Amino acid sequence: MSEHEDVIIGLEIHIQLTALKTKLFCSCSSDYRGKAPNTHTCPICLGLPGSLPVTNEKAIKFATRLALALKCTINERFYFFRKNYYYPDLPKGFQISQYNRAGGKAFADRGVIEIEVDGNIKEIQLNRIHLEEDPARIVHEGSITTSPHALIDYNRSGTTLIEVVSEPDMRSPAEAREYLKQLMSIVQYTEICDPNLEGAFRVDANISIKGHDRSEVKNINSIKEVENALSYEIKRQKLAIKRGAILIQETRHWDGDKTISLRTKEFEADYRYFPEQDLVPFETDEQFVDKIRIKLPEMPKERKERYQRDYLLNEFDAGILVLDKQIADFFEEGIKLEKSFRPEEYKLYCNWLMNQVSRWLNENNTNIANTKLKPEQIVDIVKALKENVISSKIANSFIEEMMKGTSIQEIMKKSGKKVISDENKLESLCKEVIKENPKIAADYKKNPKAIQALKGKVMGKTRGQADPKKTEELLKILLK
Ligand SMILES: [Zn+2]
């Protein structure tokens, strides 16, 4: 039994349809990021009396795409409902959303996301996905707890959200992390949302310890933060139970270090859901769904299988490579440039993207599309490594320059670094090192591993430029 067997986690993820140009019920631009506050508004998204919403058909098409990708059952007829609550970011006093009770239906039911943690594959079931409008954006000066006032920007009001509600199937923060990674990847592949945009992917995490009431941690913005917030909540709740406290159902805020109680959780009855009578029920049929199904792009799982089949990548490498669509697209562009590659080179190409490039992107908190890196640079570095023109150590030292878009040829010229494979030169270097390190050389007779220390000295003398394979061979001959 794992340490988290009694932990119950369910996630509600709000995905903003950033690829949709207009809002869900009006024709205002939904591209609000970086725009002057309160400039993308109209009577509908400001909720003025007498204004009438009209459903954006493209939003329904986008939702259908995601529902198909997540293997949900799409409901042929659905209504919008009013979810009533009072909050300054909600000008109408209600949010147009969906409700799967009282005769209402979500956009789509069920669905599944497959995850893998520590080699174990697990299916996380979805409860439903539904459509709703985003509230306005409240801006706090400093932090939510210390700001003296709140500013409201209605540009976001009425933009389209799809909420993906999971069943409480996850048992650990690591499972939640993998679930989010897979969902984010699928969303990216459907091209309905750029999940990297600030606020485009927002998570509410429900968490409880078996037999106790749950808390809901609201609006967490990154996968790492979700994992941290969940780990914190597990500790907090378990400690409270140990001390004999009674946990109450409540909404909490994650501030980056800890969760803070915001309010005791509203119950569904508090929202007084009822059908939105200003909107007619929406109907989809098989024909409508099929048209979208045909155009559905390749999903990460299929792409992974194709990479295993066509490039003979192993399952682990292929799985990581396809996760970020931008990286996978980049891989494919390079592959198309170079027809002479064989499995060994594909693997090297993949490793370079997964290790050197991904590490650099993480460290610089950016994504590959924002850099000047081009697929032909990776192709060239793979070729240079393969032909032994440079060592992997030298290649690794090129990453900064590569990210600036400098060609491999130019970097090699500028740095003057390339592999020394001239046997005479290497031999005299090896002799020198053996002479300078008699103790290690003597040790080699009892301990063959000592050769690595000598090889390291040769590499050091050449600033990593000595051909490692040849060096080792020469040392072995000289030490006989
Ligand atoms: Zn509007």
Side-chain angles (χ1 to χ4, degrees):
M1 195 162 114
S2 85
E3 57 173 322
H4 292 315
E5 205 58 31
D6 53 348
V7 170
I8 300 168
I9 298 169
L11 299 177
E12 293 168 17
I13 294 124
H14 289 96
I15 298 158
Q16 204 180 47
L17 302 188
T18 57
L20 200 61
K21 293 204 164 56
T22 53
K23 297 186 180 180
L24 184 52
F25 299 116
C26 65
S27 55
C28 288
S29 164
S30 55
D31 180 20
Y32 64 84
R33 290 178 176 79
K35 302 294 184 320
N38 299 310
T39 52
H40 290 191
T41 59
C42 74
I44 295 172
C45 55
L46 285 176
L48 299 186
S51 62
L52 282 174
V54 180
T55 308
N56 183 339
E57 198 182 322
K58 197 140 191 210
I60 309 292
K61 287 182 175 159
F62 277 17
T64 304
R65 249 197 250 180
L66 184 63
L68 288 170
L70 295 174
K71 302 184 175 67
C72 305
T73 309
I74 296 169
N75 291 313
E76 289 189 346
R77 185 182 165 91
F78 65 86
Y79 307 85
F80 281 102
F81 271 64
R82 290 185 178 185
K83 181 182 181 179
N84 295 280
Y85 63 95
Y86 180 74
Y87 209 64
D89 61 5
L90 208 57
K92 299 190 289 290
F94 61 86
Q95 178 189 27
I96 304 179
S97 180
Q98 292 192 280
Y99 192 49
N100 60 349
R101 289 180 203 175
K105 269 183 176 169
F107 178 74
D109 289 310
R110 314 311 305 167
V112 67
I113 293 178
E114 196 180 280
I115 62 165
E116 187 176 338
V117 176
D118 299 330
N120 300 314
I121 292 174
K122 181 172 173 179
E123 283 190 342
I124 306 296
Q125 303 299 322
L126 304 181
N127 179 283
R128 63 184 185 276
I129 73 173
H130 71 242
L131 278 155
E132 64 185 26
E133 56 178 344
D134 209 347
R137 204 163 65 95
I138 300 187
V139 185
H140 293 98
E141 244 178 315
S143 91
I144 193 169
T145 44
T146 58
S147 176
H149 52 254
L151 302 163
I152 309 177
D153 177 7
Y154 286 97
N155 282 353
R156 197 180 74 178
S157 172
T159 54
T160 314
L161 295 178
I162 292 180
E163 186 176 350
V164 177
V165 182
S166 83
E167 294 291 352
D169 280 357
M170 286 156 270
R171 294 289 167 270
S172 68
E175 286 188 4
R177 178 193 65 214
E178 287 311 307
Y179 170 83
L180 287 171
K181 270 191 187 171
Q182 292 303 330
L183 175 60
M184 211 184 235
S185 179
I186 291 167
V187 165
Q188 200 189 15
Y189 274 75
T190 55
E191 293 175 337
I192 57 174
C193 160
D194 177 356
N196 295 312
L197 287 176
E198 189 270 326
F201 205 86
R202 312 197 290 266
V203 181
D204 295 344
N206 284 295
I207 174 156
S208 62
I209 307 300
K210 208 171 184 177
H212 300 270
D213 273 346
R214 68 167 192 259
S215 66
E216 181 179 26
V217 188
K218 281 277 197 195
N219 276 327
I220 325 174
N221 271 320
S222 80
I223 293 180
K224 191 76 218 142
E225 292 297 297
V226 171
E227 206 180 356
N228 291 343
L230 286 173
S231 298
Y232 177 88
E233 267 300 293
I234 292 170
K235 268 193 216 127
R236 184 189 71 82
Q237 293 185 15
K238 283 193 170 175
L239 191 67
I241 292 164
K242 209 167 152 187
R243 285 179 179 156
I246 291 168
L247 292 167
I248 46 161
Q249 193 172 334
E250 61 178 347
T251 301
R252 299 180 73 86
H253 165 75
W254 170 248
D255 77 351
D257 291 314
K258 59 189 179 306
T259 63
I260 303 155
S261 181
L262 285 182
R263 53 185 182 266
T264 52
K265 168 82 183 167
E266 305 86 350
F267 290 88
E268 243 172 37
D270 296 337
Y271 290 125
R272 292 167 290 118
Y273 277 97
F274 59 85
E276 166 57 89
Q277 61 271 54
D278 288 342
L279 288 164
V280 289
F282 205 95
E283 302 200 7
T284 60
D285 56 25
E286 232 168 280
Q287 233 182 338
F288 176 88
V289 174
D290 279 345
K291 260 193 209 157
I292 291 162
R293 194 194 312 270
I294 294 165
K295 288 196 201 141
L296 201 66
E298 184 184 43
M299 287 294 124
K301 200 177 172 196
E302 292 139 30
R303 203 174 213 185
K304 174 182 155 189
E305 286 161 5
R306 183 161 62 82
Y307 284 4
Q308 287 178 258
R309 197 173 58 233
D310 292 358
Y311 307 125
L312 299 183
L313 293 178
N314 64 41
E315 193 181 352
F316 179 80
D317 286 345
I320 296 183
L321 185 60
V322 301
L323 205 56
D324 182 342
K325 184 172 182 295
Q326 289 179 353
I327 298 257
D329 287 347
F330 189 97
F331 173 77
E332 237 160 286
E333 261 181 71
I335 294 301
K336 279 188 197 131
L337 288 174
E338 187 52 56
K339 302 267 187 258
S340 72
F341 275 5
R342 280 170 311 175
E344 212 179 316
E345 282 99 346
Y346 292 139
K347 163 104 180 136
L348 205 50
Y349 193 115
C350 168
N351 285 352
W352 252 79
L353 283 177
M354 291 343 308
N355 299 320
Q356 284 79 353
V357 174
S358 292
R359 193 180 310 128
W360 191 93
L361 294 173
N362 283 343
E363 278 166 8
N364 291 277
N365 197 20
T366 185
N367 53 59
I368 200 159
N370 292 336
T371 71
K372 294 197 170 106
L373 190 72
K374 293 181 286 285
E376 49 264 42
Q377 289 171 283
I378 311 282
V379 169
D380 286 344
I381 209 129
V382 168
K383 280 177 150 171
L385 284 165
K386 202 71 198 94
E387 288 156 13
N388 213 14
V389 178
I390 49 171
S391 66
S392 55
K393 197 169 171 187
I394 297 174
N396 292 350
S397 73
F398 287 178
I399 189 76
E400 275 305 323
E401 275 298 313
M402 283 170 73
M403 286 308 201
K404 292 180 196 157
T406 319
S407 75
I408 302 304
Q409 290 74 8
E410 205 171 312
I411 302 174
M412 287 205 284
K413 215 162 101 189
K414 256 205 276 186
S415 69
K417 281 184 179 174
K418 59 175 188 212
V419 164
I420 301 168
S421 44
D422 178 72
E423 294 220 1
N424 292 330
K425 192 163 185 196
L426 281 180
E427 194 178 327
S428 71
L429 279 164
C430 288
K431 279 183 182 160
E432 225 177 278
V433 163
I434 291 170
K435 205 171 155 193
E436 286 165 11
N437 300 280
K439 258 179 106 176
I440 305 176
D443 186 35
Y444 171 71
K445 294 201 170 65
K446 286 170 290 175
N447 174 20
K449 276 189 187 153
I451 201 157
Q452 297 305 327
L454 294 172
K455 189 168 107 185
K457 303 263 180 206
V458 179
M459 297 305 272
K461 270 184 189 285
T462 58
R463 288 181 301 139
Q465 284 170 262
D467 179 333
K469 219 172 132 196
K470 273 195 182 154
T471 304
E472 194 168 326
E473 280 165 13
L474 282 167
L475 282 168
K476 275 184 188 161
I477 295 166
L478 291 168
L479 287 166
K480 257 189 186 162

